[in-house]
Amino acid sequence: MDTYKILKIKKSVYESNAQEAQRLRGKLKEDGVFLLNLMSSPGSGKTATLVRTIAALKNELRIGVLEADIDSDVDARTVLNAGAKAIQLHTGGMCHLDAGMTGQGLVGLGTEGLDLVFLENVGNLICTASFDTGAVKNAMILSVPEGDDKPLKYPHMFEVVEVVLVNKIDAISFFDFDLEVFRQRVARLNPKAKIIPISAKTGDGIGDWTDWIRYEVRRWKSREEE
Amino acid sequence: MDTYKILKIKKSVYESNAQEAQRLRGKLKEDGVFLLNLMSSPGSGKTATLVRTIAALKNELRIGVLEADIDSDVDARTVLNAGAKAIQLHTGGMCHLDAGMTGQGLVGLGTEGLDLVFLENVGNLICTASFDTGAVKNAMILSVPEGDDKPLKYPHMFEVVEVVLVNKIDAISFFDFDLEVFRQRVARLNPKAKIIPISAKTGDGIGDWTDWIRYEVRRWKSREEE
């Protein structure tokens, strides 16, 4: 597992993304693979967070990563070095992934024997939120320097996720970010969303995040019915 | 000028965005209005930068702002208080503005008597870069916490702009951002791009940015031919 492929993603051929997403989740259930879609703005720390997460879980779970990017390869190398199986997906100019594109990525990666696959989605708070990728769960990262007003401006993203990681929490004293106000703004859009402050730099909060992942992976693999 | 309108932007009806963008620039030239398209990720500090910019220029230039957002109004109020004429554009779910949509915004704002109009584009490093809005010039903000690798990951954005503002430069010691490496990465994509480090928080570098704006507005208003 010391190399990675680069796959150019093609536009999906499926008429209904909703149907294709359901089909993909069915296949993942059969195979016992938990696919977690991770979304954020550019530069919020998705890759650094994944590196921390892989380090914390790699002795218990076999992990793969779909690295979606417009056209660079820097992230696949990084997560590979962290100890995950990885594939780099080049989306061309496309600003999001749908279920068909995600399916291409899973085939390219090869999911046999994997327990957990992260889809590191394209850095975009708008388009990515509008497409069901077929993932079992959706999570997002909002970093402290981006500001606590983002739920007001990108509401749909906050509505579709189950977890909001608030990254770069170690920088909170430097920026004008009110965690309590942020919590209230998210709760107004999505009362069930779990908010976890983390620092991918220091490791703070990563334990809470990996506890959630462990619990969800176990549930996904054990339940007869979803 | 103490109120602002909210305008729901419709999809463009024009077949060719390139033609519509040229038509719009012709009209702006006739009217002596300089339209500057400002793009960035969510949370890079577009609005705070605009507030600083308006404060520095409002005694010399009559300024308007098109505030494009998925659906909030927080920014229009802020720039209005800073001393600019403003209109809030709601794009629905749309992740970019094209020339037709920008034209609707300019009509809604009313550009008579204005020298300079900022289009505060939707927070998105991907989609916005692919559409000519009809603006005279394009600029972008990349904030220090986003990281110096962004030219590798969002190359098209760095290719289409004339100015890259590097905001939150006051936080550079806190983050792992190498300004020289960043300059080299931008230069490889776009050797003519002007890189200006700023802090919207402290005001550092705003003078260099407003010098560039002053020069370009004067040029636009004085030249017979573009």
Side-chain angles (χ1 to χ4, degrees):
Chain A
M1 298 213 294
D2 56 350
T3 59
Y4 62 93
K5 285 194 285 188
I6 297 174
L7 180 69
K8 284 194 184 172
I9 293 286
K10 296 184 195 78
K11 278 210 169 175
S12 292
V13 294
Y14 306 102
E15 239 179 76
S16 159
N17 186 57
Q19 276 176 25
E20 181 53 21
Q22 276 308 109
R23 197 201 61 77
L24 193 59
R25 259 189 298 277
K27 176 78 167 61
L28 290 164
K29 182 77 183 169
E30 255 173 48
D31 296 347
V33 177
F34 184 86
L35 178 64
L36 180 52
N37 176 27
L38 191 57
M39 297 175 283
S40 83
S41 298
S44 66
K46 278 195 299 303
T47 309
T49 301
L50 275 184
V51 167
R52 281 276 182 191
T53 308
I54 293 163
L57 294 172
K58 68 179 176 182
N59 294 333
E60 312 158 45
L61 300 171
R62 289 154 299 176
I63 304 173
V65 178
L66 307 176
E67 273 296 339
D69 245 316
I70 305 292
D71 76 351
S72 90
D73 310 329
V74 289
D75 294 337
R77 167 66 51 199
T78 307
V79 296
L80 193 75
N81 291 342
K85 191 174 180 184
I87 188 168
Q88 182 74 49
L89 310 182
H90 282 180
T91 65
M94 285 182 282
C95 55
H96 68 274
L97 292 183
D98 61 19
M101 294 149 82
T102 304
Q104 294 169 45
L106 288 168
V107 169
L109 177 70
T111 57
E112 211 187 306
L114 296 181
D115 303 304
L116 168 64
V117 176
F118 291 99
L119 167 57
E120 186 177 333
N121 214 316
V122 180
N124 190 317
L125 279 193
I126 305 170
C127 315
T128 52
S130 300
F131 291 85
D132 187 342
T133 60
V136 184
K137 298 282 173 182
N138 295 317
M140 71 170 289
I141 304 180
L142 190 280
S143 64
V144 161
E146 294 172 66
D148 56 28
D149 61 340
K150 291 302 159 290
L152 304 176
K153 304 177 86 175
Y154 304 93
H156 191 46
M157 174 59 75
F158 290 85
E159 286 164 1
V160 300
V161 295
E162 301 203 18
V163 172
V164 180
L165 298 176
V166 182
N167 191 24
K168 308 187 189 178
I169 200 73
D170 53 304
I172 200 163
S173 63
F174 205 91
F175 294 95
D176 188 23
F177 190 102
D178 188 324
L179 194 58
E180 195 42 45
V181 167
F182 179 74
R183 279 185 197 280
Q184 289 162 13
R185 285 172 176 165
V186 174
R188 241 168 271 142
L189 295 164
N190 182 352
K192 288 186 186 165
K194 192 175 167 68
I195 295 176
I196 308 178
I198 65 164
S199 167
K201 194 172 167 185
T202 67
D204 275 0
I206 296 294
D208 294 337
W209 163 234
T210 50
D211 282 349
W212 179 82
I213 294 173
R214 263 189 212 99
Y215 175 78
E216 292 293 340
V217 170
R218 202 159 40 221
R219 260 182 93 207
W220 181 245
K221 282 175 159 287
S222 64
R223 274 176 308 174
E224 284 294 305
E225 294 295 320
E226 174 57 4
Chain B
M1 299 212 290
D2 57 350
T3 59
Y4 62 93
K5 284 195 287 190
I6 297 174
L7 181 67
K8 283 194 185 171
I9 293 286
K10 295 184 196 78
K11 277 210 169 176
S12 293
V13 295
Y14 306 101
E15 240 178 75
S16 160
N17 186 58
Q19 277 177 25
E20 181 54 21
Q22 276 309 108
R23 198 202 60 75
L24 193 60
R25 260 189 299 278
K27 176 78 166 60
L28 290 164
K29 182 77 184 170
E30 255 174 47
D31 296 347
V33 176
F34 183 87
L35 178 64
L36 180 52
N37 176 27
L38 191 59
M39 296 174 283
S40 83
S41 296
S44 66
K46 281 195 298 303
T47 309
T49 301
L50 274 184
V51 166
R52 280 276 182 190
T53 308
I54 292 162
L57 293 172
K58 70 179 177 183
N59 295 332
E60 311 159 43
L61 300 170
R62 289 153 301 175
I63 304 173
V65 177
L66 307 175
E67 276 296 339
D69 248 312
I70 306 290
D71 76 352
S72 90
D73 309 330
V74 286
D75 295 337
R77 168 65 52 199
T78 307
V79 298
L80 193 77
N81 291 343
K85 191 174 179 184
I87 187 167
Q88 182 75 48
L89 310 183
H90 282 180
T91 65
M94 286 183 280
C95 55
H96 68 274
L97 292 182
D98 63 18
M101 292 148 84
T102 305
Q104 293 170 44
L106 288 168
V107 168
L109 178 70
T111 57
E112 212 187 305
L114 296 182
D115 303 303
L116 168 63
V117 176
F118 291 98
L119 168 56
E120 186 177 332
N121 214 316
V122 180
N124 190 317
L125 280 194
I126 304 171
C127 316
T128 52
S130 299
F131 291 85
D132 187 343
T133 59
V136 183
K137 299 281 174 184
N138 295 317
M140 70 170 290
I141 305 180
L142 188 281
S143 64
V144 161
E146 294 172 66
D148 55 29
D149 62 340
K150 291 301 158 289
L152 305 176
K153 303 177 85 174
Y154 305 92
H156 192 47
M157 175 59 76
F158 289 85
E159 287 165 358
V160 302
V161 295
E162 301 203 18
V163 173
V164 180
L165 299 176
V166 182
N167 192 25
K168 309 187 189 178
I169 199 73
D170 55 303
I172 199 163
S173 64
F174 205 90
F175 294 96
D176 188 23
F177 190 102
D178 187 324
L179 194 57
E180 195 42 45
V181 166
F182 178 74
R183 279 186 197 281
Q184 289 162 14
R185 285 172 175 164
V186 174
R188 241 169 271 142
L189 295 165
N190 183 351
K192 289 187 183 165
K194 195 176 166 68
I195 295 176
I196 308 177
I198 65 165
S199 167
K201 193 171 167 186
T202 66
D204 275 0
I206 296 292
D208 294 338
W209 162 236
T210 51
D211 283 350
W212 178 82
I213 294 173
R214 267 188 208 98
Y215 174 78
E216 292 293 341
V217 171
R218 203 158 43 220
R219 259 182 96 206
W220 181 247
K221 283 175 158 288
S222 65
R223 275 177 307 175
E224 284 294 305
E225 295 295 320
E226 174 57 7

